[in-house]
Amino acid sequence: MASAAEPVHAAAGTPASRSFLGALLRTPSGAVGLVVVAVLVLAAVLAGVIAPYDPLRMAAGPRLAPPSWAHWFGTDDFGRDVFSRIVYGARLTLQIGVIAVGISLTSGLLLGLVAGYASGWTERVLMRLVDVLFSFTEIVIALACLAILGIGLTNAMIAIGIASIPFYARITHSVVLVERNKPYFEAAVAGGAGHLRLIFRHLLPNVVPTLIVVGTLGVSTAVLAAAGLSFLGLGAQPPQPEWGFMLSSSRDLISRAPWMMIFPGVAIAITVLGFNLLGDGVREVLDPRQRQR
Amino acid sequence: MSKSLLEVRDLDVVFGAGRHRQHAVEGLSYTLGKGETLAIVGESGSGKSVSSLALLGLLPRAARIERGTAHFDGEDLLALPEEPLRRLRGDRLTMIFQEPMTSLNPVLTIGRQLTEGLVEHRGMSEAAAEARAGEMIELVGLGDPARRLAQYPHELSGGMRQRVMIAMAMASEPDILIADEPTTALDVTVQAQILDLMRDLKARFKTSIILITHDMGVVAEMADRVVVMHRGRKVEEGSVGEIFARPRQAYTRDLLAAVPRLGAYAGTAAPRTVVDSPAEVDRRAPVLRARGLRKRFGGRSWFGRGDAGVLALDDVALELHPGETLALVGESGSGKSTAGRAVLRLLDVDAGEIEVDGIAIRELGRAGLRRARRQMQMIFQDPFASLNPRLTVGALVAEPMLIHGIARGRELADRIEGLFHRVGLESDHIRRYPHEFSGGQRQRVAIARALGVGPKVIVADEPTSALDVSVQAQVLELLLELQQSLGLAYLFISHDMAVVEEMSHRVAVMQQGRIVETGPRPVVLNDPRHVYTRALLAAVPIADPTRRRGVLPRLDTAAMPRGPLTEIAPGHLVAAGAEAA
C-alpha cells in the first residue's frame, strides 16, 4: 500500500530526515515546541545583538526600576537590566539542558544496552546498581555529587547529568529487552553477527528513537533541576545571569520588585513547556505504531 | 432463503483525507438472509474486516463511512446514532474476534464477562444472567459451569477462550453474528471443533452469520453464500457451490487455484517439480543429524522453588540429506520451532548431539559456531518482524556475506544484485527499507539474505503462514525452485498439512515435545499410524463444499502413545503402542 508514496525519501539516502521536520511541524505540539525552542536558541546565539545592555553591567539604569520602555523587564537591585540578563541566561539554560542530558543519555544508553544485551550476571549486577541509585531522589544524588565536586554551575550540570543516568539506563534496558526478542534480532544472530554488530548495528538504531523522545522531555527536567540547585545557591554563582539564581536573589524583594521574580519564572516555565511540547511532537512522529500505516 | 435480514447497499469506507485518501471499501452491496451463513472472503487489504466493523460502528478512528446504507429491521445501521447502535451491539448484533488470547479482558472473571451483556441489554438480574451464562458454558462444550464462571481468561487455552467468546456472542440469541477470522489463530484440531460448534449453535438459534475469512477450506465447510472481495470491491457473489464449481471471475479462479489442497500430491514421493532436471536427494551422508535432543523451559526461578517447567524437546532425533525437505509438523506448543532453533544453536539444548555437515555444533566455541553458521541459515515466520526496520534491504542481504567475509566492495554489490534477481526482486529495490515492501516481497528479501552465504541447510519456520494464499503459492514455488536447482536441504516447520504435502520428502509429526511418527511423506500422510497424526489430518478443512469432513476422532492426549519410536516399515517410525488398527 505504502510502496507507491514512499520510495522518494528512501532514494535520497538519508531516511526520513527531510520528512521528519515536516511531520514534526504537522503535529500541533511539535510545531509550538519547535518554535519555542527555536526562539530560545536564537536568543542564546544572538544574545549580544538582542540584549540592549551588558547583563553584568551594574547601574545600567536606576535600581529596582519597574518595567518601562528603557528597561522592558525592569531592573534589579544592582540596577542591571533584567531583560538582558534573561536573554543571556538562555545560553546557560541551553548549556545546562544539552550537557546534563548529554551526560545522562550517553551513559544511561551504554549501561542499558550492555545490561540488556548481556543478560545473566552482567545484567543483574548492572541493573541492581541502577536500582540502588534509582531509590534515591535525583536531587539527593545531585546534592551528593555537588558535595564531592564543589558548587558551581558546571558542576551542577554534571551532577544533574549523573543523577538522571539511572532513569535513562532503565528505559534503554527495557527497550532492549523488547527489541532483542524480536525475530530480526534472532535473524541477525542466525546470520552469525558478533557482539558489536548486534549491539550497535541492530539494537542501537531501534533504541535511539525512544531515547530521543525521552531526552527531549529530559531537557526540561534538567533545566528545572538546575534552576532549583541555583535557587539553593549550589549552582550558578553571582553575577551569572542564570534564571534560577535570579529567582532566588529576588526572594527578599518580592513585594517591592515583583518583576525580578516574574520574568525569570516565566522564562523557565516557557522553556520547560517548549521542550515538553517538542518531546510530545517527536514522540508522535517517531512512535513506531504511528509509522505502521 | 427467506426474506433478507440485513441489506447492505453501496457501502464506501474511506481512510485518510486529501492526498492520502484511500478507499478501503468501495460500492459494496450484499444481503444476508435469516439463518444464512454469508462468507466474505478476500486477502489482506481487501476490506473484508472493515466492511463488517462499519456495520457495528467499530471502525478505527482514521476511517469514515462516506456512502451507503445497511438496513436491518427497518433501520439504517450506518445512520444510527451511537446510543441506539450501542443497544443493538452485543445484543442483536454480536461479534467474535480473531485473537482469543487478547479479546477477553484479563482482569475480569469469565462469569463477569458473560453476564455483563445480559444484565446491560436484557435487564436480567445478576442471578438470572448467571444461570444463563452457566447454560451457555454447557452449550459451548466447556462443562463444569460453576468453576468456569469463576475462572480468569489466563487459566484457559486458546480454544477454550474462543468457546467463551462464542458463548458471549450467542448468549443473547443474536440475529446476526459477525465472526472475524474466528479460527485463524487456532490449531487445526481446535479449529475443526470450533467450526462444528458454530454450525451447531447456528442451527439451534437460527442465527445468521457473517463469516470473514481468508481460508477457503473454512468457507467450503461453513458458508451458504460467498462474497469475494478484492481491493475494497466485490468481485463475485454466489452460492458456495457455484463459487467453488464455476467461478466466473478470473480473480476468484486464481484465489481457488492458489489454495493448497491436501491430497493433490498424494501419488508422488517427491515434492512438486518446478525445474527441468531437479537435484536428486543425496542419500549417502546426512547434512544434518540430531540425536537425543532435550530442552526444558522454565522450572527454576531466581528465588528458589519454581516448578518442573515444560519439556519442549524430549529425545528428539532428526536426519536431513542434501536436497531433501523434512517437514516438522505439529500444533502450537509441540516443540517444532524449538527443534528448528536448537539445530541452529539459536538456543542451547540441555542434552543431545547435533551435527551439521559432519561438525558437532554443540561442541563449538564462538568463532567455530560463527563459521558453522555459513552452512545453516534460517527463514522466519513473520517477514514483518524478521527484517530490521532501520536497515535497507540491501544492507540486510549484505550482512551475512560481510560477517563471513565472502565479498566486499564491488563484488558484494554485484552479488547482492544477483541475489535480488534470483529471488524475483529488482535492482532498484536494494536501497529501500523493509516497510516499503509487501509481505511476499519481504519474505523474498529474507530468502535472499539466507542464500547469500551459500548454506547447505535452511531451517524455514512457517515461512508462508503470515502470507496470503496467492503470495504463499509464489514463495513456495521459489523455495522449491531453489532447492531443486541448488540442492539445498530444508527443515520445513509447518502446521499446514496441504503445504507440507506439496513441499516435503519426509515428515516428522511432533506432539508435546516428542516425535510421535516419522517417515516418507506419502506413507505418513496416506497411511498414518499414530492417532495424533490421524486427528491432525482429519481436522484439515477441505476446500470443496461437496465433501464433508468426517466426524473428528476424540483426542485424549493423556492416553496417547508416546513411547520410543519403533520401525514398522522401512523408514516409517511410530511411537510404541500406537498400532491400533
Side-chain angles (χ1 to χ4, degrees):
Chain A
M1 261 194 284
S3 56
E6 260 151 333
V8 187
H9 60 67
T14 44
S17 59
R18 203 153 38 104
S19 65
F20 176 75
L21 258 188
L24 191 59
L25 281 171
R26 244 172 281 135
T27 65
S29 50
V32 175
L34 204 61
V35 168
V36 172
V37 172
V39 167
L40 197 71
V41 171
L42 273 180
V45 173
L46 303 175
V49 183
I50 297 171
Y53 302 95
D54 181 340
L56 305 183
R57 191 182 134 205
M58 300 204 201
R63 294 174 57 202
L64 297 176
S68 65
W69 276 114
H71 302 282
W72 293 355
F73 291 177
T75 60
D76 66 5
D77 46 346
F78 292 102
R80 294 175 296 202
D81 182 49
V82 174
F83 178 69
S84 304
R85 285 176 69 74
I86 286 182
V87 170
Y88 273 93
R91 287 187 177 174
L92 295 177
T93 303
L94 278 186
Q95 269 179 41
I96 294 162
V98 170
I99 292 176
V101 170
I103 291 173
S104 49
L105 193 80
T106 42
S107 333
L109 182 67
L110 277 177
L111 214 65
L113 267 177
V114 171
Y117 174 77
S119 70
W121 276 108
T122 323
E123 179 183 20
R124 279 179 205 156
V125 171
L126 283 179
M127 289 322 285
R128 287 307 82 78
L129 263 173
V130 166
D131 285 345
V132 169
L133 282 175
F134 216 55
S135 60
F136 296 98
T137 328
E138 282 186 23
I139 202 82
V140 174
I141 300 177
L143 286 177
C145 291
L146 282 175
I148 298 166
L149 298 169
I151 58 177
L153 191 54
T154 317
N155 289 347
M157 295 177 198
I158 298 172
I160 293 166
I162 292 173
S164 40
I165 290 175
F167 176 67
Y168 291 93
R170 268 279 187 89
I171 289 179
T172 311
H173 181 240
S174 63
V175 178
V176 169
L177 287 191
V178 173
E179 294 296 328
R180 65 167 294 159
N181 277 321
K182 290 195 180 162
Y184 75 79
F185 184 83
E186 201 177 19
V189 176
H195 292 313
L196 291 179
R197 180 177 282 273
L198 286 172
I199 294 183
F200 291 105
R201 196 155 166 78
H202 288 280
L203 289 179
L204 186 63
N206 286 289
V207 174
V208 160
T210 311
L211 282 190
I212 289 177
V213 175
V214 179
T216 321
L217 294 169
V219 171
S220 57
T221 325
V223 168
L224 219 50
L229 287 177
S230 298
F231 185 85
L232 294 175
L234 302 171
Q237 298 301 310
Q240 281 177 307
E242 204 280 328
W243 298 344
F245 177 66
M246 287 165 72
L247 268 184
S248 77
S249 54
S250 70
R251 203 170 23 181
D252 299 332
L253 300 161
I254 187 160
S255 53
R256 283 176 59 202
W259 54 88
M260 277 180 66
M261 176 165 268
I262 290 170
F263 292 108
V266 168
I268 293 173
I270 289 179
T271 307
V272 170
L273 183 73
F275 274 104
N276 271 326
L277 287 175
L278 183 64
D280 279 347
V282 172
R283 169 165 50 205
E284 237 169 272
V285 176
L286 288 185
D287 191 331
R289 275 170 302 175
Q290 305 265 340
R291 293 186 54 159
Q292 286 293 308
R293 260 204 65 81
Chain B
M1 289 291 148
S2 58
K3 74 182 191 55
S4 68
L5 182 67
L6 173 75
E7 195 171 337
V8 176
R9 285 253 154 273
D10 301 321
L11 176 65
D12 274 12
V13 180
V14 171
F15 274 94
R19 201 157 55 87
H20 300 286
R21 193 164 172 277
Q22 216 165 29
H23 267 99
V25 179
E26 208 171 346
L28 178 68
S29 304
Y30 62 82
T31 56
L32 176 70
K34 179 115 188 88
E36 185 183 40
T37 299
L38 175 73
I40 302 183
V41 283
E43 301 190 295
S44 51
S46 64
K48 57 187 193 300
S49 290
V50 172
S51 62
S52 305
L53 289 173
L55 298 181
L56 293 182
L58 294 176
L59 283 178
R61 258 206 272 167
R64 261 186 346 273
I65 298 167
E66 283 214 331
R67 203 162 60 99
T69 56
H71 282 285
F72 168 71
D73 201 15
E75 283 177 295
D76 181 5
L77 291 177
L78 303 182
L80 227 46
E82 175 60 23
E83 184 51 32
L85 189 59
R86 188 185 65 81
R87 253 178 274 136
L88 287 177
R89 198 160 60 203
D91 187 34
R92 299 186 61 193
L93 302 170
T94 59
M95 182 148 188
I96 40 183
F97 297 90
Q98 174 172 0
E99 195 46 80
M101 292 318 210
T102 51
S103 45
L104 288 169
N105 187 334
V107 298
L108 298 180
T109 60
I110 302 299
R112 193 60 224 261
Q113 299 187 55
L114 264 171
T115 53
E116 196 176 31
L118 296 170
V119 174
E120 173 74 28
H121 291 296
R122 288 287 154 100
M124 282 190 188
S125 68
E126 287 283 344
E130 204 147 297
R132 174 74 179 148
E135 229 171 86
M136 289 309 298
I137 290 286
E138 295 270 18
L139 263 183
V140 296
L142 280 175
D144 198 359
R147 190 165 69 92
R148 292 290 176 223
L149 291 180
Q151 279 180 318
Y152 287 89
H154 69 89
E155 297 173 66
L156 306 179
S157 70
M160 287 158 88
R161 288 186 212 190
Q162 202 61 311
R163 284 172 193 267
V164 171
M165 282 299 295
I166 292 174
M168 271 169 80
M170 299 300 283
S172 61
E173 300 189 19
D175 295 304
I176 300 176
L177 170 70
I178 299 176
D180 189 355
E181 304 267 9
T183 57
T184 306
L186 304 174
D187 285 325
V188 273
T189 54
V190 183
Q191 160 171 303
Q193 294 162 9
I194 295 288
L195 293 180
D196 282 351
L197 172 67
M198 282 176 63
R199 233 192 332 255
D200 190 42
L201 290 178
K202 177 193 145 190
R204 183 187 288 261
F205 294 132
K206 312 263 184 305
T207 308
S208 307
I209 299 180
I210 298 179
L211 177 70
I212 301 159
T213 184
H214 69 281
D215 187 332
M216 284 303 195
V218 172
V219 173
E221 225 175 90
M222 297 289 292
D224 300 314
R225 270 188 324 120
V226 182
V227 167
V228 182
M229 286 187 72
H230 181 50
R231 298 199 177 157
R233 291 171 177 280
K234 180 168 79 177
V235 176
E236 185 166 1
E237 180 178 359
S239 75
V240 68
E242 271 169 34
I243 292 281
F244 277 85
R246 288 176 303 279
R248 291 187 304 273
Q249 298 296 322
Y251 178 74
T252 315
R253 278 196 292 274
D254 291 346
L255 197 62
L256 283 167
V259 177
R261 280 159 213 263
L262 187 58
Y265 301 94
T268 57
R272 187 155 64 93
T273 312
V274 293
V275 298
D276 292 337
S277 49
E280 292 291 317
V281 177
D282 181 357
R283 292 264 168 231
R284 281 168 304 180
V287 66
L288 167 71
R289 192 210 311 261
R291 263 196 304 260
L293 298 185
R294 185 182 302 275
K295 173 76 184 174
R296 189 181 289 280
F297 282 116
R300 261 180 313 143
S301 83
W302 209 40
F303 292 107
R305 290 196 298 134
D307 47 57
V310 179
L311 203 53
L313 293 179
D314 183 7
D315 197 18
V316 168
L318 300 168
E319 215 176 79
L320 186 59
H321 294 267
E324 183 185 46
T325 299
L326 170 64
L328 213 48
V329 301
E331 300 189 292
S332 54
S334 62
K336 56 191 195 301
S337 287
T338 308
R341 283 174 168 70
V343 300
L344 295 187
R345 236 185 103 176
L346 282 176
L347 53 82
D348 280 313
V349 290
D350 301 332
E353 300 164 33
I354 304 163
E355 267 177 37
V356 174
D357 206 17
I359 301 164
I361 294 291
R362 286 197 68 207
E363 269 101 79
L364 291 176
R366 278 198 67 81
L369 181 61
R370 207 191 244 208
R371 270 195 302 281
R373 287 210 161 119
R374 256 189 86 161
Q375 310 299 335
M376 46 191 195
Q377 290 287 313
M378 179 144 183
I379 300 168
F380 292 83
Q381 170 172 9
D382 185 355
F384 292 87
S386 63
L387 299 175
N388 189 336
R390 310 252 162 213
L391 296 177
T392 64
V393 292
L396 283 165
V397 171
E399 184 169 51
M401 291 190 276
L402 278 172
I403 291 169
H404 295 290
I406 288 174
R408 54 178 61 250
R410 189 65 239 163
E411 196 196 345
L412 180 66
D414 290 343
R415 273 180 185 251
I416 294 172
E417 194 163 348
L419 283 167
F420 268 65
H421 293 163
R422 189 77 183 77
V423 298
L425 294 169
E426 326 240 324
S427 308
D428 62 334
H429 286 148
I430 292 172
R431 292 165 65 89
R432 297 195 191 168
Y433 285 83
H435 73 266
E436 297 173 50
F437 293 93
S438 67
Q441 287 175 317
R442 288 186 209 202
Q443 205 57 305
R444 286 174 193 268
V445 171
I447 292 170
R449 181 176 152 94
L451 281 183
V453 293
K456 294 187 172 144
V457 182
I458 290 184
V459 176
D461 188 357
E462 304 262 12
T464 58
S465 61
L467 306 175
D468 284 325
V469 276
S470 59
V471 180
Q472 160 170 299
Q474 295 160 12
V475 171
L476 292 179
E477 172 105 15
L478 173 64
L479 285 173
L480 284 171
E481 190 256 319
L482 290 171
Q483 174 171 61
Q484 287 163 17
S485 47
L486 302 175
L488 297 173
Y490 291 148
L491 183 59
F492 191 85
I493 300 166
S494 180
H495 70 279
D496 187 329
M497 290 303 210
V499 170
V500 164
E501 187 183 57
E502 183 178 342
M503 295 295 292
S504 63
H505 298 83
R506 286 192 305 122
V507 175
V509 181
M510 282 190 80
Q511 193 253 338
Q512 288 179 16
R514 291 186 68 90
I515 291 180
V516 293
E517 179 161 6
T518 179
R521 187 258 301 160
V523 178
V524 174
L525 296 196
N526 300 342
D527 183 20
R529 291 305 176 89
H530 194 277
V531 273
Y532 182 68
T533 317
R534 287 182 188 164
L536 270 185
L537 287 164
V540 176
I542 301 164
D544 180 354
T546 57
R547 277 169 54 194
R548 264 287 128 90
R549 182 166 44 75
V551 182
L552 287 177
R554 272 269 157 215
L555 260 188
D556 184 3
T557 43
M560 213 174 267
R562 291 165 51 79
L565 293 172
T566 44
E567 191 156 18
I568 55 165
H572 188 185
L573 286 76
V574 181
E579 205 64 23

